[in-house]
Amino acid sequence: PGELPPSVAAQAAAASVGFGAQLQRFGPAGGEPSGDNGEAGGEGGGEGGGEAGGGGLGFGGGGGASRDSPRILFSDIEERAMGMNGTPEYFSVNCFITHIRTDQRTLWYIACPNCKKKVQGASEDMLDGHCEKCNAPTTGTRRWIFTGQCNDPSGSRYVSFFDDTAVRLLGGRTADEMAPTKESDSSRFDAHFLKHSFQRVVMKCQVKSDTYNDEQRIKVSCQNFEPLNPVAEGRRLLAEIASMGA
């Protein structure tokens, strides 16, 4: 039936030999991939569509792609102009989470426990404040909002992680639990993030465009992820290859 499409060939190669060469090529990001400024999206508006499991994105068949979230490579985002029509789009990708950024201005925001919007007047020293959406005083909780560098055979991409996916990524540790460590022992804090880097996952993502300083940019956020199941991944690739000869 001829040669495989590049995306399938790349995924098949990654499934069979791993990403070792890719990791050496890209390494920790010194700059920001095109179309993403590396920030998780600010604090003020809460997390919106960034919550894990949003948009009806469930895993099935061991992490295979679904009709609503086709399996792609990161390079397909630009090639297909995904998220540029003003409507969020969804996809899944087989990738390594290679570096979780801890050098951002902030890694969390103080949220209303009811609506998850930012609590006005709260600070690291005093979590009490006022929720404008609930129109009530409240004691906030810290919720993660950070970016991680993710690599697949086509390149790298900064992906935003919001609280639900971030807690899972960090081994169940919440921002409230980790905040004292960041203040008292930054090396231990950074070591915890490093410990949970280099995870190979199948990730469900949302991609959409927004405007920052009058410049349009593409932002990718993780909606859900699962550790790569090599058996299920191999079966998915075999099925996709077989369908091309049908």
Side-chain angles (χ1 to χ4, degrees):
E3 295 184 357
L4 300 176
S7 62
V8 177
Q11 292 176 40
S16 62
V17 300
F19 286 122
Q22 287 294 330
L23 297 181
Q24 292 179 5
R25 174 184 172 189
F26 292 106
E32 296 153 356
S34 175
D36 193 339
N37 75 338
E39 292 299 326
E43 309 166 14
E47 300 172 27
E51 291 295 341
L57 299 177
F59 282 94
S66 70
R67 181 176 58 185
D68 297 328
S69 55
R71 178 70 66 86
I72 68 169
L73 297 169
F74 283 132
S75 60
D76 292 327
I77 295 173
E78 279 78 20
E79 292 176 6
R80 302 182 187 184
M82 297 180 68
M84 296 298 292
N85 61 359
T87 302
E89 295 185 62
Y90 300 91
F91 66 89
S92 66
V93 61
N94 173 0
C95 65
F96 270 106
I97 303 170
T98 54
H99 177 63
I100 307 171
R101 294 184 58 182
T102 58
D103 59 347
Q104 298 173 211
R105 181 175 60 87
T106 182
L107 295 168
W108 56 72
Y109 72 102
I110 300 174
C112 171
N114 296 318
C115 69
K116 302 177 186 175
K117 296 296 184 181
K118 184 179 179 182
V119 174
Q120 301 300 317
S123 68
E124 286 300 308
D125 297 325
M126 179 64 69
L127 299 182
D128 294 336
H130 184 81
C131 177
E132 293 184 348
K133 182 175 181 180
C134 298
N135 192 27
T138 187
T139 299
T141 60
R142 298 175 182 87
R143 293 181 67 84
W144 292 116
I145 180 169
F146 57 70
T147 58
Q149 186 198 9
C150 300
N151 291 63
D152 75 1
S154 72
S156 64
R157 168 71 60 170
Y158 277 114
V159 176
S160 299
F161 292 85
F162 298 97
D163 194 69
D164 286 356
T165 51
V167 169
R168 290 181 55 215
L169 185 61
L170 295 175
R173 301 300 298 274
T174 68
D176 277 338
E177 291 172 330
M178 292 293 294
T181 305
K182 188 176 190 299
E183 183 68 24
S184 63
D185 190 346
S186 60
S187 296
R188 182 182 171 194
F189 181 87
D190 291 344
H192 184 81
F193 277 70
L194 181 61
K195 175 183 176 182
H196 292 280
S197 297
F198 292 96
Q199 299 187 44
R200 188 172 181 180
V201 299
V202 175
M203 186 185 300
K204 304 277 185 160
C205 296
Q206 179 196 81
V207 57
K208 64 179 180 179
S209 62
D210 67 4
T211 302
Y212 182 76
N213 288 339
D214 298 323
E215 180 180 348
Q216 190 177 39
R217 59 185 182 175
I218 293 295
K219 296 193 70 64
V220 178
S221 60
C222 175
Q223 304 287 290
N224 201 356
F225 69 89
E226 296 291 347
L228 178 72
N229 181 329
V231 174
E233 183 70 6
R235 289 172 177 166
R236 187 195 69 82
L237 288 168
L238 287 173
E240 188 168 349
I241 293 169
S243 68
M244 295 171 187

